[in-house]
Amino acid sequence: MWPGLGQGAANRTTKGRLWAVGEAAVDIGLRRIRGAARSIQKCSLLYLADLGSAGIALAVALLLRYGITELKARPETASVLFWSGAQYLAICAFVFPFSGLYSRNWRYGSISDLFIILRAVLLTSLLLVSLLFFSTRLSEIPRTVVPMQSLLLIAFLAASRLSFRAEEIPLARPVFKKANEQHYVPLLLVGAGDAADLYLRALARDPNATHIPVACLDKHGDQVGMSLRGVPIAGSIADFERVVAELQLVNKQPRHVVFTEAPAAFGEKASEELVHSAERLGIAVSRLSQLTELKRAKNDNPYELRSIELTDLLERPQAALDTAAIARLICGRRILVTGAGGSIGSELTAQVAACGPAEIVLIDNTEYNLYSIDMKLNENFPDVPRSCYLCSVRRCQRVEEIFERHRPELVFHAAALKHVPMVQMNPCEGVLTNVIGTMNVANAAKKCGTLAMVQVSTDKVVNSTSVMGASKRLAELYCQALDLDGIETGQAPRFMTVRFGNVLGSSGSLIPLFERQLARGGPLTVTDANMTRFFMTIREAVELTLQASAYGFEQQLGQGEIFVLDMGEPIKIIDIARRMIRLAGFTPDEEIEIKIIGCRPGEKLFEELFDETDKRISLPVPGVLGAVPDPIPLPKLKDAFMRLQRHAERGNERAVVSVMHELLPHYQHGAEGAKRPSSGKRAVPPRRRVEGPRRRSGVQGRKRGELNLPGN
């Protein structure tokens, strides 16, 4: 190789790179010029108005500096103004298009867009000063003129853009001018915050809007006497009937009440009373769809009014969620969920997927449920690796094979038979799934070195009268025994159990049944007029389950204990039926009948969250309580479970019940629940003293029977 050849090739390579960089720079510059030219073409009138504003601002600044008298005495100033103005207009004509003044839709401008104006004016002023300095050393124009013209130009440019939002200025006029016209619907807004402000903006911009707000109710009454975009804030939510009466006197009686936020945000009791009052006065009640509700379809109108639903009234103030702790529990780990396609399992799977696990393994015994949750994950979390197995947790060998293949680090066990009457009529099947299935999953988790297993339990385990409740109680005791055994050995996984009551909208639950009965015109069937249940939304139950699991695993809380979700106060089923009838626009017991059909096999009149043998404790987990059941030794449970499995597989129901009685002396098979005393007082076991500081949630302390809410 010749000595100079390598250097020449390097020089040619360097020149080629420089040429490519130059071409890219020229291409970018041309694109910016073309973009600026297009923006001028689209906003030509605004562009000309801005140039006129620049010239006027400079002339007014000179006038303010010298005054009319002195300007007449200085005719040479006119020539200075002419040449300086021409130079300044040339600068503005070049700078304004490149500063972004015409690349925005100023109809939706905000305070942040003011910085674009400031940047453009500052840049043009600096260029003007630089040009005058090099040409005249600033001898012909006083230095105070430039700051004055800059301030004036900022005001002129801002005013011209404010005109794009001129329709918002006279908001009060259409509200009160048209409120009395027949084809407009007067609205009373509940809430005077950000959501109400956005809704009023939307109404003002919509030329076809038929809803006219006549007043607002504030959450706490702090803003009473003020107005929101021209709409008076007439009272607090507790003043609803008074405000309606006052509006009726001035011929502005509202025909529609709109919650601008979720009704639960205003307090369950206050929202419930307002809905009752509105129904009594014949006023329709709706709520706005929230901008943050991700379950909306993409094309839904976020300001569309929708009916108040039972879940809107049930949702209590949310317990503080430690999302960081939940993320630390899930992120980057292999997760296995049994019963993944069920009501709780599918929500649990979705929330787990949102935390970025390394892999999700889905197990379900129902083909369609497994298909549905797989499709949901594919649509919403396509990047999360997942495996789906059609498998019954009763099959020990198959369960162990799946665990051995994927070696999950966390297991959420939601698979169970949960319908009380069905399990009561098929006790052997209930025991095989709820007891033996839990044992199989727990044993497989321990065998493959899982870090923790979380079992989903139910309040029906407490003082149980059903096979379903008793079988889930045995599952609790088995996980408790494994957890205590792990404390002794120091090597076993954590086994945690989370207990809670009914969830709204689950498969086979009360609300879908009532909806079907309403669609047929009734009657709505209620088992007993005094029957009560604890209720919670699926989302909240799963969130608190994950939070309890995260605290329990990370801080080693609740070893040998049961995490009990704070469900608030129990609710009468018959009140739920009446509420659903009223929300459907009918009158209970008149247009739609409520029929009492009697308790079904295994049902109790009321449920409890703590067994009489449980010791209650306080936990540093928001929204979660603690219970310590009397443990049963692990060898005794294993021996009894082997007998249960043998009897259940043979279909010997009497022997199955006998073994359950042996392990659970308080279990009352087929008692159909403890009836309420004749005094009408709720028969509850005596409360034990809570160890540690007493903790009250935002939903405790309410009078029983205040809420007529939905159920499961």
Side-chain angles (χ1 to χ4, degrees):
M1 179 180 292
W2 294 98
L5 185 60
Q7 185 64 36
N11 290 338
R12 287 194 298 272
T13 302
T14 302
K15 289 179 181 179
R17 289 175 179 173
L18 291 175
W19 181 260
V21 171
E23 282 186 331
V26 170
D27 185 53
I28 293 172
L30 290 175
R31 283 203 302 269
R32 295 201 62 181
I33 292 172
R34 286 194 294 268
R38 283 194 297 268
S39 67
I40 293 173
Q41 185 178 4
K42 291 180 181 178
C43 306
S44 55
L45 291 179
L46 183 61
Y47 179 64
L48 294 175
D50 289 347
L51 294 181
S53 298
I56 294 172
L58 185 59
V60 173
L62 282 170
L63 181 62
L64 292 175
R65 170 62 179 82
Y66 288 112
I68 296 177
T69 304
E70 190 171 351
L71 279 176
K72 290 180 179 179
R74 298 169 59 96
E76 69 278 3
T77 304
S79 62
V80 172
L81 175 62
F82 177 79
W83 289 110
S84 300
Q87 295 172 24
Y88 187 54
L89 289 178
I91 293 172
C92 292
F94 179 78
V95 172
F96 282 176
F98 289 96
S99 61
L101 284 176
Y102 312 108
S103 60
R104 279 162 175 74
N105 187 344
W106 289 99
R107 178 180 172 84
Y108 306 105
S110 61
I111 296 297
S112 61
D113 292 319
L114 180 62
F115 290 101
I116 299 172
I117 297 175
L118 296 177
R119 182 179 61 189
V121 172
L122 179 62
L123 184 56
T124 55
S125 299
L126 289 175
L127 290 175
L128 176 63
V129 170
S130 301
L131 185 60
L132 293 176
F133 177 79
F134 286 111
S135 61
T136 64
R137 298 291 178 180
L138 295 175
S139 60
E140 296 179 350
I141 290 186
R143 289 167 175 77
T144 55
V145 170
V146 176
M148 284 193 293
Q149 72 85 25
S150 298
L151 294 175
L152 288 169
L153 183 55
I154 290 172
F156 292 159
L157 296 180
S160 64
R161 281 145 182 82
L162 186 62
S163 65
F164 285 90
R165 304 185 65 166
E167 78 280 356
E168 297 182 13
I169 298 174
L171 179 61
R173 290 203 297 271
V175 171
F176 297 107
K177 184 178 179 181
K178 298 178 180 178
N180 297 329
E181 298 183 15
Q182 292 296 325
H183 57 286
Y184 286 101
V185 179
L187 289 183
L188 176 62
L189 300 183
V190 181
D194 293 339
D197 177 71
L198 289 172
Y199 182 55
L200 291 175
R201 286 174 183 247
L203 281 181
R205 289 174 177 165
D206 187 358
N208 301 316
T210 58
H211 292 82
I212 302 298
V214 294
C216 292
L217 297 179
D218 188 24
K219 184 183 298 186
H220 304 295
D222 299 336
Q223 304 182 66
V224 175
M226 304 174 68
S227 64
L228 179 64
R229 296 194 168 269
V231 180
I233 301 175
S236 68
I237 189 172
D239 301 325
F240 170 70
E241 294 194 23
R242 176 186 63 79
V243 171
V244 170
E246 292 177 354
L247 291 172
Q248 188 174 9
L249 292 176
V250 295
N251 200 24
K252 295 175 182 174
Q253 181 179 8
R255 302 207 305 268
H256 212 135
V257 173
V258 175
F259 282 87
T260 58
E261 303 175 39
F266 301 95
E268 291 181 34
K269 180 181 177 182
S271 299
E272 180 74 7
E273 290 178 350
L274 189 148
V275 172
H276 271 300
S277 299
E279 291 173 350
R280 188 171 59 253
L281 296 172
I283 303 175
V285 183
S286 301
R287 62 160 290 194
L288 292 178
S289 297
Q290 301 299 298
L291 292 172
T292 54
E293 287 182 356
L294 301 181
K295 292 185 289 185
R296 290 189 293 110
K298 292 182 179 179
N299 297 324
D300 282 357
N301 180 2
Y303 301 106
E304 182 180 1
L305 302 182
R306 65 177 181 83
S307 300
I308 294 289
E309 298 175 0
L310 294 168
T311 52
D312 296 328
L313 295 174
L314 177 65
E315 289 204 20
R316 56 188 59 83
Q318 178 66 57
L321 283 178
D322 189 346
T323 54
I326 296 175
R328 289 194 298 271
L329 175 72
I330 301 297
C331 185
R333 287 196 166 116
R334 299 182 301 279
I335 312 297
L336 185 145
V337 182
T338 69
S343 304
I344 295 294
S346 59
E347 177 68 20
L348 181 60
T349 301
Q351 292 194 25
V352 165
C355 294
E359 179 189 25
I360 297 182
V361 180
L362 310 177
I363 295 178
D364 201 281
N365 192 39
T366 304
E367 180 186 28
Y368 179 75
N369 287 352
L370 190 63
Y371 161 79
S372 298
I373 187 60
D374 181 51
M375 292 298 295
K376 181 178 179 180
L377 291 182
N378 185 56
E379 293 170 0
N380 299 326
F381 307 99
D383 297 330
V384 176
R386 65 188 185 279
S387 300
C388 300
Y389 292 96
L390 194 61
C391 167
S392 171
V393 293
R394 302 177 182 184
R395 298 178 57 194
C396 178
Q397 187 174 353
R398 173 66 167 160
V399 169
E400 289 184 353
E401 175 191 335
I402 295 172
F403 272 73
E404 189 64 33
R405 181 180 303 171
H406 293 277
R407 313 289 297 183
E409 297 169 271
L410 292 174
V411 175
F412 292 93
H413 179 48
L417 297 180
K418 304 170 186 175
H419 196 274
V420 172
M422 286 293 105
V423 177
Q424 194 72 13
M425 291 185 286
N426 300 274
C428 295
E429 302 303 312
V431 165
L432 286 173
T433 297
N434 296 349
V435 180
I436 306 307
T438 300
M439 181 182 69
N440 292 339
V441 173
N443 290 346
K446 184 176 181 179
K447 183 177 180 180
C448 78
T450 297
L451 297 177
M453 170 179 161
V454 180
Q455 181 194 200
V456 175
S457 190
T458 171
D459 58 357
K460 293 171 179 58
V461 305
V462 178
N463 298 320
S464 179
T465 61
S466 66
V467 174
M468 185 275 204
S471 62
K472 293 293 287 183
R473 179 67 164 180
L474 292 177
E476 283 188 356
L477 291 170
Y478 191 76
C479 288
Q480 179 196 27
L482 287 176
D483 202 33
L484 293 173
D485 183 66
I487 296 175
E488 297 177 1
T489 62
Q491 296 178 345
R494 281 300 316 273
F495 289 91
M496 297 173 281
T497 298
V498 180
R499 180 194 297 170
F500 51 86
N502 294 17
V503 291
L504 291 174
S506 62
S507 58
S509 64
L510 187 66
I511 299 304
L513 171 63
F514 280 174
E515 288 175 344
R516 291 195 301 271
Q517 292 174 341
L518 274 172
R520 294 196 303 264
L524 269 62
T525 55
V526 176
T527 50
D528 193 284
N530 293 317
M531 182 168 285
T532 62
R533 289 293 183 266
F534 292 98
F535 291 104
M536 181 175 278
T537 64
I538 295 179
R539 175 191 54 79
E540 186 180 12
V542 169
E543 286 175 346
L544 290 179
T545 296
L546 289 175
Q547 176 151 292
S549 306
Y551 275 72
F553 177 72
E554 191 172 52
Q555 303 180 22
Q556 294 300 304
L557 296 176
Q559 292 187 315
E561 302 168 7
I562 307 296
F563 294 116
V564 183
L565 302 190
D566 189 346
M567 303 285 293
E569 292 294 321
I571 303 160
K572 280 190 174 183
I573 301 297
I574 197 168
D575 289 339
I576 298 172
R578 292 193 176 109
R579 166 59 56 201
M580 288 199 68
I581 293 172
R582 282 194 291 266
L583 289 179
F586 300 104
T587 304
D589 302 315
E590 294 181 10
E591 297 175 286
I592 300 291
E593 179 189 359
I594 297 177
K595 185 177 180 181
I596 306 299
I597 61 174
C599 290
R600 296 174 296 180
E603 281 190 327
K604 297 167 62 178
L605 279 181
F606 58 91
E607 299 289 358
E608 303 153 283
L609 294 174
F610 293 89
D611 193 277
E612 57 185 0
T613 61
D614 289 345
K615 181 173 66 175
R616 302 190 193 186
I617 60 173
S618 61
L619 292 173
V621 186
V624 182
L625 310 172
V628 184
D630 292 335
I632 296 178
L634 186 59
K636 180 179 179 180
L637 283 175
K638 288 183 175 181
D639 176 69
F641 281 15
M642 291 301 103
R643 288 186 285 134
L644 271 177
Q645 183 175 9
R646 185 168 61 253
H647 295 320
E649 288 175 345
R650 293 174 179 175
N652 190 341
E653 296 181 2
R654 181 173 297 181
V656 164
V657 172
S658 176
V659 176
M660 294 173 74
H661 269 298
E662 177 187 326
L663 295 172
L664 305 172
H666 298 288
Y667 166 49
Q668 306 174 45
H669 179 66
E672 294 190 4
K675 300 294 183 182
R676 293 187 186 278
S678 58
S679 63
K681 295 182 180 179
R682 182 181 172 203
V684 294
R687 292 179 177 266
R688 296 182 176 240
R689 182 175 60 86
V690 178
E691 298 181 359
R694 188 175 180 85
R695 185 188 143 294
R696 295 179 67 87
S697 74
V699 297
Q700 291 178 329
R702 287 192 295 265
K703 294 180 181 178
R704 188 169 297 133
E706 285 181 332
L707 302 177
N708 301 325
L709 300 177
N712 169 330

